[in-house]
Amino acid sequence: MDIYNSGGPEVSIRSLKKDSMKFVLTNTDLSVANALRRVMIAEVPTMAIDMVEIETNSTVLTDEFIAHRLGMIPLTSFDVDRIQYTRDCTCTLYCPNCSVELTLHVKVNVDYDDMNDPTIDKTRQVTALDLISSDESVKPVSDDKAHPILIVKMRPGQELKLKCIAKKGVAKEHAKWSPVYGVSFEYDPYNRLRHSHYWIEEDEKLEWGVSANAAEETPVDPNEPFDYNAKPDKYYIEVETSGCMKPEEVALRAMTIMQDKLGGLQIKLDDEFKEDTQRWGY
Amino acid sequence: MNAPDRFELFVLPDGVKKYASLALTADRQTSASGSAAVPQLAHTALRGRPHQFSMSPILTITPDTKIPNAATFKIEKEDHTLANMLRMQLLEDPKVLFAGYKMPHPLDHYFILKVQTTPDTNPAHVLGNAVTELIQCVGSMKNKFEMDLIRARSDASKVDNGEGEDLSSHQVDMDF
């Protein structure tokens, strides 16, 4: 939405890191910026473990507890376009076209020599690195090899054997499919538009400092009259991903999804016109 | 346990084609002479029958029976993301007298959009324009993003695995 008739939105990327990105979106309406935020959070498809078949579980955690923890593990999803949604697939339950299999088998053997030595830590940490994926492009996010995602801790003699089915999905169905851990969204850091009402004890300025983004804008002159026609037009957005895909990819995919949404509606509206061009007297 | 499946938020029910156009719910409006602008009751052929076909369409247009040049759009499987964008874009149009949306119930996955226009156009037409504008806007936003991405990636100081530069660490270079 070009509210100033000057060539549409402008984007300026302020920082681009491996799993986070800051950018400033200007010259567009709040509704468009918010739609982008909402789509990034809830409608960009990723891969996540959706079904778990447990063969053996003698750990201290219950099957469903472990299944839930597995579902939360972010999986690399840069190649998610290749995979179909299971509901659109021709298979009955799941197949390689619409799912990826991950297996895990950890058995901690009892070592009788160390058994009574309290100085040896006998706890085996089962982590996301123990999950073996059938697909090289879909595997647990493991940027920090020193601190992989912990699934369960095991004692000697315990065993865990299971098969996970990862499926494509969107976070509208379950938050585990969200590609982002957080999207920060700010506009009007000086509250010039008075969209925010701050709860205060005594002094608003003392109790509520301005954000880092305020450096980009001019402070409000206390004597300036309130402009009730002013609209927000500069949005400070920060995207932090789970590592499943790059942050810029999340934003680009979100924009494509917005285009698809609008395009679908346009096609439907066009069909309406074709169906009955006389209906409205056109 | 009785919670509805979350995929109902975006999965079309059985028998609904993605872009099926079935909504014969709008009728020609006689708005030639201002005051006589009483639109006929929609879909005479369907009067007395169930309001819609067994296959529920994704988009229905229902002209308002009392207000001239007004219609209610019902859009299935969409939420505030699309609805608010459409509403705000419609309100930019000087020919739109009213535009508002609501999601009637959190368990129903559709929204309704009411639009009233000036007599020289009609709600479906202005909505079509709004959608076209928004497509252009998002397309341009995407282009701008891609262009700036090339710049950001080529800017060695900004591409850094893990570390990267931080907005708060020093003054931002405004000369992008």
Side-chain angles (χ1 to χ4, degrees):
Chain A
M1 193 182 308
D2 183 7
I3 52 175
Y4 298 101
N5 295 316
S6 54
E10 295 286 338
V11 179
S12 143
I13 298 170
R14 291 292 151 89
S15 114
L16 186 62
K17 296 184 206 169
K18 199 177 170 206
D19 50 14
S20 80
M21 167 180 70
K22 286 176 183 169
F23 65 98
V24 182
L25 181 64
T26 43
N27 217 6
T28 192
D29 190 78
L30 179 57
S31 61
V32 175
N34 191 45
L36 175 64
R37 182 192 66 86
R38 286 175 61 95
V39 173
M40 284 195 292
I41 292 170
E43 289 179 67
V44 175
T46 62
M47 296 296 291
I49 292 170
D50 200 33
M51 291 198 314
V52 181
E53 293 168 15
I54 292 176
E55 204 173 297
T56 315
N57 175 21
S58 54
T59 67
V60 291
L61 299 186
T62 58
D63 292 2
E64 44 273 66
F65 199 126
I66 291 171
H68 179 249
R69 290 183 68 78
L70 288 165
M72 299 294 145
I73 295 169
L75 304 177
T76 51
S77 308
F78 50 86
D79 210 12
V80 74
D81 292 339
R82 190 175 48 81
I83 292 159
Q84 274 187 314
Y85 288 108
T86 304
R87 59 178 159 275
D88 297 337
C89 194
T90 47
C91 64
T92 47
L93 193 59
Y94 58 85
C95 70
N97 291 328
C98 63
S99 68
V100 171
E101 242 179 64
L102 297 99
T103 50
L104 183 146
H105 185 198
V106 177
K107 188 175 183 180
V108 187
N109 292 317
V110 184
D111 187 338
Y112 291 99
D113 298 335
D114 298 339
M115 197 62 170
N116 298 315
D117 185 352
T119 58
I120 297 171
D121 182 14
K122 289 171 281 288
T123 310
R124 164 73 154 92
Q125 305 214 350
V126 182
T127 66
L129 297 177
D130 291 307
L131 279 168
I132 297 164
S133 173
S134 64
D135 188 326
E136 198 42 41
S137 71
V138 179
K139 54 186 183 185
V141 173
S142 55
D143 293 332
D144 189 358
K145 293 265 194 260
H147 302 95
I149 300 162
L150 183 65
I151 298 166
V152 61
K153 290 182 181 179
M154 282 163 66
R155 293 278 289 165
Q158 296 178 344
E159 187 183 5
L160 181 62
K161 189 177 186 186
L162 48 84
K163 185 171 89 173
C164 308
I165 310 300
K167 289 181 179 174
K168 182 181 177 178
V170 293
K172 261 189 163 185
E173 183 166 357
H174 191 288
K176 69 184 174 184
W177 276 295
S178 182
V180 294
Y181 278 169
V183 178
S184 81
F185 181 91
E186 186 184 25
Y187 63 93
D188 187 25
Y190 283 106
N191 199 22
R192 177 176 270 111
L193 306 168
R194 303 188 190 171
H195 286 192
S196 304
H197 290 272
Y198 293 114
W199 182 92
I200 54 163
E201 285 191 338
E202 273 154 14
D203 187 277
E204 184 181 309
K205 286 211 168 63
L206 279 174
E207 288 161 40
W208 296 89
V210 287
S211 75
N213 297 324
E216 305 255 326
E217 302 201 354
T218 50
V220 188
D221 177 3
N223 300 319
E224 87 179 42
F226 175 56
D227 180 4
Y228 48 84
N229 284 320
K231 280 176 155 185
D233 78 323
K234 196 168 186 188
Y235 311 93
Y236 306 92
I237 303 171
E238 182 178 355
V239 184
E240 186 195 349
T241 72
S242 63
C244 64
M245 54 177 87
K246 289 177 184 162
E248 62 267 34
E249 208 178 333
V250 175
L252 283 172
R253 279 169 197 255
M255 290 177 207
T256 311
I257 290 162
M258 284 164 78
Q259 284 177 318
D260 290 351
K261 264 180 193 296
L262 291 159
L265 184 60
Q266 192 180 42
I267 289 166
K268 283 173 246 169
L269 276 169
D270 284 351
D271 286 350
E272 292 287 328
F273 288 130
K274 277 183 207 133
E275 197 93 340
D276 188 1
T277 47
Q278 294 299 304
R279 186 193 304 159
W280 297 93
Y282 275 78
Chain B
M1 203 175 278
N2 293 320
D5 290 319
R6 297 300 302 266
F7 61 73
E8 287 172 15
L9 276 161
F10 48 90
V11 177
L12 308 175
D14 278 346
V16 177
K17 286 184 203 147
K18 184 78 185 171
Y19 299 126
S21 174
L22 313 149
L24 217 71
T25 48
D27 208 346
R28 185 191 170 133
Q29 292 203 346
T30 49
S31 56
S33 61
S35 61
V38 182
Q40 290 160 11
L41 195 68
H43 53 83
T44 319
L46 293 173
R47 198 178 283 157
R49 294 205 210 151
H51 184 62
Q52 279 161 12
F53 296 89
S54 57
M55 274 164 56
S56 76
I58 296 310
L59 168 74
T60 47
I61 308 174
T62 316
D64 199 288
T65 50
K66 293 189 175 122
I67 308 163
N69 285 300
T72 304
F73 299 86
K74 180 183 172 196
I75 296 163
E76 290 278 355
K77 307 296 172 195
E78 290 292 348
D79 59 10
H80 299 279
T81 305
L82 185 64
N84 195 33
M85 268 203 295
L86 290 176
R87 177 183 72 113
M88 295 310 283
Q89 183 62 56
L90 282 165
L91 290 172
E92 297 286 310
D93 189 339
K95 288 185 173 173
V96 171
L97 302 177
F98 178 87
Y101 83 90
K102 72 173 171 185
M103 299 190 61
H105 194 276
L107 290 176
D108 290 337
H109 309 300
Y110 66 89
F111 69 85
I112 59 170
L113 180 71
K114 276 191 187 282
V115 184
Q116 189 192 6
T117 67
T118 52
D120 56 337
T121 183
N122 67 58
H125 190 72
V126 292
L127 183 64
N129 289 345
V131 171
T132 312
E133 282 274 312
L134 280 172
I135 288 172
Q136 281 173 1
C137 167
V138 177
S140 132
M141 181 164 76
K142 199 177 163 203
N143 282 338
K144 294 276 169 56
F145 190 89
E146 278 166 343
M147 304 240 297
D148 206 51
L149 195 58
I150 294 166
R151 183 204 55 76
R153 277 177 175 158
S154 65
D155 193 343
S157 71
K158 289 195 173 52
V159 181
D160 194 348
N161 283 345
E163 302 302 315
E165 70 155 27
D166 193 26
L167 187 74
S168 56
S169 61
H170 56 88
Q171 195 60 44
V172 180
D173 180 12
M174 294 296 285
D175 187 28
F176 284 145

